[in-house]
Amino acid sequence: MAAREVLRRRRIVLLLSVALLAYLIDLGSKLLVVARLEGHQPIQVVGDVMTFQVIRNAGAAFGMGQAMTVVFTAIAASVIVVIWRIARKLYSLPWAIALGLLLGGALGNLTDRLFRSPEVFRGHVVDFISVQHFAVFNLADSAIVCGGILVVLLSFRGSNPDGTLHQVTKESRSA
């Protein structure tokens, strides 16, 4: 039983390490682009396909829900609580990575919502990666998407955060 507890603690440390790394990369990138790019012309990274430009986003993906900033703040806080609750029974390495990415991304965007203008709980998220014919996003968004894709793949594979596999019974197949 002690070995299983050590494994769980290692997975939680991994989750927190991935989350901290994702958070710090996101925070650092936002500080850098705001200091260097805000109020300036976009920088072409890959021709017209990808540019860096600072956009303050009050809404969610694709700028939707701009009047619901407080709701997005509450959702991000809820995601953090849910991840922490799942982490208490975490034994899976891939799940630790996936949840770490989700946690780091959620913390990155929550930090903007809490501390950026125009006011606390209504702050606008700094987005700066612009891909042609797509939304402008940031590295927290990328971490969330990558973590979400990993969660979906793990779920399809039948993996649970506690290290067990989903069991498909004959009754559930015939339903």
Side-chain angles (χ1 to χ4, degrees), residues 38-71:
E38 195 160 47
H40 294 87
Q41 292 295 319
I43 295 175
Q44 292 184 335
V45 179
V46 182
D48 289 337
V49 176
M50 185 169 116
T51 59
F52 288 161
Q53 61 179 333
V54 177
I55 304 290
R56 301 290 181 128
N57 185 357
F62 303 100
M64 295 185 302
Q66 294 197 13
M68 300 175 54
T69 306
V70 173
V71 173

Side-chain angles (χ1 to χ4, degrees), residues 23 29 31 56 90 151 153:
Y23 175 73
S29 67
L31 291 172
R56 301 290 181 128
L90 183 64
V151 165
L153 292 174

Side-chain angles (χ1 to χ4, degrees), residues 18-97:
V18 169
L20 181 63
L21 182 63
Y23 175 73
L24 291 176
I25 290 171
D26 176 65
L27 182 62
S29 67
K30 288 174 181 174
L31 291 172
L32 182 64
V33 299
V34 166
R36 304 280 177 144
L37 287 180
E38 195 160 47
H40 294 87
Q41 292 295 319
I43 295 175
Q44 292 184 335
V45 179
V46 182
D48 289 337
V49 176
M50 185 169 116
T51 59
F52 288 161
Q53 61 179 333
V54 177
I55 304 290
R56 301 290 181 128
N57 185 357
F62 303 100
M64 295 185 302
Q66 294 197 13
M68 300 175 54
T69 306
V70 173
V71 173
F72 296 130
T73 303
I75 290 170
S78 299
V79 165
I80 292 166
V81 169
V82 167
I83 290 171
W84 189 248
R85 292 192 59 146
I86 292 171
R88 294 185 303 175
K89 296 180 181 181
L90 183 64
Y91 294 94
S92 166
L93 180 101
W95 273 95
I97 294 168

Side-chain angles (χ1 to χ4, degrees), residues 4-172:
R4 187 148 167 87
E5 181 60 25
V6 169
L7 179 64
R8 185 182 69 81
R9 286 187 183 164
R10 285 184 181 164
R11 296 305 182 246
I12 291 173
V13 167
L14 177 62
L15 181 155
L16 294 175
S17 297
V18 169
L20 181 63
L21 182 63
Y23 175 73
L24 291 176
I25 290 171
D26 176 65
L27 182 62
S29 67
K30 288 174 181 174
L31 291 172
L32 182 64
V33 299
V34 166
R36 304 280 177 144
L37 287 180
E38 195 160 47
H40 294 87
Q41 292 295 319
I43 295 175
Q44 292 184 335
V45 179
V46 182
D48 289 337
V49 176
M50 185 169 116
T51 59
F52 288 161
Q53 61 179 333
V54 177
I55 304 290
R56 301 290 181 128
N57 185 357
F62 303 100
M64 295 185 302
Q66 294 197 13
M68 300 175 54
T69 306
V70 173
V71 173
F72 296 130
T73 303
I75 290 170
S78 299
V79 165
I80 292 166
V81 169
V82 167
I83 290 171
W84 189 248
R85 292 192 59 146
I86 292 171
R88 294 185 303 175
K89 296 180 181 181
L90 183 64
Y91 294 94
S92 166
L93 180 101
W95 273 95
I97 294 168
L99 294 174
L101 288 168
L102 290 170
L103 180 59
L107 285 170
N109 285 338
L110 182 60
T111 298
D112 283 358
R113 300 265 183 224
L114 292 175
F115 300 112
R116 292 207 186 266
S117 63
E119 61 184 287
V120 176
F121 294 109
R122 296 181 185 273
H124 295 178
V125 172
V126 173
D127 290 331
F128 63 93
I129 303 168
S130 177
V131 177
Q132 192 174 31
H133 308 298
F134 194 68
V136 180
F137 57 97
N138 59 46
L139 296 177
D141 298 334
S142 297
I144 291 168
V145 168
C146 290
I149 289 170
L150 189 51
V151 165
V152 169
L153 292 174
L154 291 168
S155 295
F156 278 137
R157 199 182 97 188
S159 174
N160 293 318
D162 65 2
T164 62
L165 296 175
H166 303 317
Q167 296 298 320
V168 179
T169 63
K170 288 182 182 178
E171 294 83 26
S172 65

